[in-house]
Amino acid sequence: MAQFAPDNALLRSLSKKDLEELRPHLELIDLTVGQVLYEMEDPINWVYLPEVGLLSLITVMVSGAALETSIVGREGGVGFIEALGSGVMYSRVIVQIPGKAYRVRAVAYRRAFDDSPAMRKAVHRQLELLQAESRQAIACHGLHKVKERFNRWLLECQDLSGGLDDMPLKQEFLAVMLGVSRTAITRIAMGAQRQGLIRYARGSVKILDRKGLERGACECRASVQHLRRQLEPDSVLGRAQA
């Protein structure tokens, strides 16, 4: 039997024995743009562990206004925290960038968590990282210019989705991610295109100059990279950023 070597950080953190025991419960599925994995207050039946692609967690107000609060790629998962607690999702979860993910039923995931010290350690590290990133995101949203956040967000999307250069990111999604109008997104994206940083077309962003985006990103970019090196040194991103 071929060796099972997933790219997802939570799965990679398991011992070979733990991974083989969980393997029969893992189902590899396709992720399509705009696919809704969870609505707010849905029960957690599945835990999703991306291999390639990007998921967005969006908080929706009573008025219908929405803002992205987190992005999840191959370094984490969706539902892995809630499945251990309330069993309810309090965000809308949609596919931002298509790809593939493993999914596992919540009951099988809870059993693996209870039985595997490696899984518990990995989940605790993820919780610490998510908390630190959330604090950084709040400060970033309040203190930094939209252009700087736009550059940082594109880099984060590329890193977390598996290194894609050409990303199917629609204008309305970009607006929700950054909490600004679509007009503002068009202005900023066209400016980045004139600088040769990206190629921006309807529903697509292609990164042309990653180093240029790095120079134009806010300081939170370096701060988050440092957090990952400290908390996830053996992950794909932790090793790449060391």
Side-chain angles (χ1 to χ4, degrees):
M1 182 181 295
Q3 183 178 3
F4 182 45
D7 284 331
N8 181 271
L10 282 173
L11 293 176
R12 283 200 319 273
S13 69
L14 300 180
S15 68
K16 289 183 179 180
K17 177 178 179 295
D18 290 338
L19 188 57
E20 285 303 318
E21 289 180 356
L22 185 62
R23 185 176 182 180
H25 303 285
L26 294 171
E27 177 186 358
L28 187 63
I29 63 169
D30 291 324
L31 300 173
T32 58
V33 174
Q35 179 183 356
V36 178
L37 301 182
Y38 280 112
E39 287 286 3
M40 294 182 68
E41 299 192 8
D42 277 353
I44 299 293
N45 296 318
W46 297 93
V47 173
Y48 294 90
L49 304 165
E51 288 278 289
V52 178
L54 196 70
L55 308 179
S56 288
L57 277 67
I58 297 172
T59 297
V60 183
M61 301 290 104
V62 174
S63 65
L67 181 68
E68 184 212 53
T69 54
S70 182
I71 54 177
V72 176
R74 56 186 171 155
E75 294 303 296
V78 164
F80 73 96
I81 298 171
E82 295 84 355
L84 300 173
S86 67
V88 176
M89 176 58 67
Y90 289 105
S91 297
R92 175 183 294 163
V93 182
I94 63 172
V95 177
Q96 183 72 264
I97 295 176
K100 292 184 179 295
Y102 285 104
R103 70 175 186 175
V104 56
R105 288 199 177 274
V107 63
Y109 165 74
R110 285 192 293 269
R111 190 181 306 119
F113 180 86
D114 290 340
D115 294 344
S116 170
M119 173 71 89
R120 292 196 295 274
K121 183 177 180 181
V123 169
H124 291 154
R125 281 202 308 266
Q126 279 287 318
L127 283 169
E128 190 174 358
L129 181 59
L130 285 171
Q131 185 179 52
E133 287 183 337
S134 295
R135 292 169 179 162
Q136 192 75 38
I138 292 170
C140 183
H141 189 77
L143 296 175
H144 296 145
K145 296 178 181 179
V146 177
K147 179 181 177 181
E148 296 173 331
R149 294 194 289 120
F150 176 84
N151 290 350
R152 176 202 166 199
W153 192 81
L154 288 183
L155 292 165
E156 290 291 298
C157 285
Q158 186 180 51
D159 287 346
L160 294 173
S161 65
L164 299 175
D165 288 327
D166 201 344
M167 298 178 287
L169 298 171
K170 294 183 178 180
Q171 185 188 54
E172 54 265 36
F173 280 144
L174 290 167
V176 169
M177 299 312 110
L178 295 172
V180 298
S181 68
R182 285 185 289 180
T183 301
I185 291 296
T186 298
R187 175 176 52 80
I188 293 167
M190 294 306 294
Q193 181 167 264
R194 286 193 296 271
Q195 291 179 283
L197 302 177
I198 64 172
R199 185 171 68 227
Y200 178 64
R202 183 179 295 274
S204 176
V205 176
K206 182 177 179 63
I207 292 180
L208 302 176
D209 183 358
R210 184 178 169 90
K211 290 184 178 179
L213 285 176
E214 293 274 9
R215 288 192 295 270
C218 62
E219 65 186 75
C220 295
R221 170 67 177 165
S223 297
V224 169
Q225 287 179 310
H226 176 71
L227 285 170
R228 290 191 181 125
R229 285 194 296 269
Q230 295 295 107
L231 297 174
E232 295 282 357
D234 296 325
S235 72
V236 172
L237 295 183
R239 292 195 304 270
Q241 296 165 0

